[in-house]
Amino acid sequence: MNQTKNNSYSIAQLGNAVLRLKASEVNNILTDECQQLINQMMLAVSEAGGVGIAAPQIHHSVRIFIMCSKPNPRYPDAPLMVPTAIINPEILHYSSHKEKDWEGCLSVPSMRGLVPRHTHITVRYFDQQGSVQQKELTGFIARIFQHELDHLNGLTFIDQLESTKDLISEVEWYKQFAI
Ligand code: NI
């Protein structure tokens, strides 16, 4: 009890109202406040071993998420990418094709779900320097983008399941699917 933590964030867990809000657009990316929030999110996702985190998950209801896919014990097959801040994101185009694959979430501990996502998306967002970016994303990176964008709209991966039968415990997931 009373463990001291150096960091000043906690990760909001399913049931916390902040995870159900529609997050606000960021007006000025270059303010110290915004840059510090991005840095704090980079730290939080790295410490938690996640491949993405959205600002509402650390109790800030603004339209920012981090994508930082890399292979780790939670996602052994994840591709490696430079941690990237995504601000005021939009999906401009979705492939009609969807695929189901496993997702977890730092706000939904101990569970994994088989979630259908569009396999190809065209996205537009602002980066940490405030420049607009437009990209085509596929596969696991497109999946992370859709998962994190959902967080900005008050949704978690559980809301996207086709069936509650596609939800399993992380203990079973490790037994059945981890290397
Ligand atoms: Ni999540």
Side-chain angles (χ1 to χ4, degrees):
M1 298 296 286
N2 296 322
Q3 282 182 327
T4 306
K5 288 182 88 178
N6 292 327
N7 41 51
S8 58
Y9 64 85
S10 67
I11 295 187
Q13 301 293 292
L14 186 66
N16 192 303
V18 73
L19 296 174
R20 292 306 188 184
L21 299 174
K22 182 169 167 64
S24 308
E25 295 271 326
V26 177
N27 294 322
N28 189 346
I29 295 164
L30 301 178
T31 61
D32 285 350
E33 190 188 10
C34 185
Q35 295 290 317
Q36 279 166 20
L37 175 59
I38 290 168
N39 293 339
Q40 195 174 40
M41 290 169 66
M42 294 266 189
L43 180 68
V45 72
S46 149
E47 286 187 347
V51 294
I53 196 168
Q57 292 183 275
I58 60 164
H59 306 271
H60 291 267
S61 190
V62 292
R63 301 187 81 76
I64 305 175
F65 63 76
I66 308 293
M67 296 204 298
C68 54
S69 173
K70 64 177 180 200
N72 69 44
R74 281 174 62 83
Y75 295 96
D77 300 325
L80 182 63
M81 69 180 289
V82 177
T84 306
I86 307 284
I87 300 136
N88 295 342
E90 297 170 84
I91 298 181
L92 304 176
H93 178 75
Y94 296 88
S95 62
S96 52
H97 183 59
K98 285 186 172 185
E99 267 177 16
K100 281 191 188 180
D101 206 347
W102 293 105
E103 293 183 21
C105 180
L106 299 174
S107 295
V108 186
S110 310
M111 304 298 277
R112 291 287 177 119
L114 202 48
V115 186
R117 299 286 186 191
H118 301 276
T119 52
H120 292 68
I121 53 175
T122 306
V123 303
R124 184 162 60 201
Y125 60 90
F126 292 86
D127 65 21
Q128 191 169 357
Q129 286 71 45
S131 303
V132 70
Q133 303 282 343
Q134 188 166 321
K135 299 209 162 137
E136 315 278 317
L137 304 179
T138 62
F140 191 66
I141 305 293
R143 175 171 296 277
I144 298 174
F145 195 99
Q146 290 166 81
H147 175 120
E148 300 307 333
L149 181 55
D150 274 354
H151 276 304
L152 307 185
N153 293 323
L155 297 173
T156 71
F157 78 85
I158 292 176
D159 302 309
Q160 302 289 12
L161 296 173
E162 279 178 2
S163 161
T164 48
K165 291 175 181 165
D166 287 336
L167 190 63
I168 71 172
S169 86
E170 203 162 56
V171 171
E172 277 299 322
W173 184 86
Y174 275 111
K175 273 199 231 166
Q176 295 177 35
F177 301 106
I179 298 163

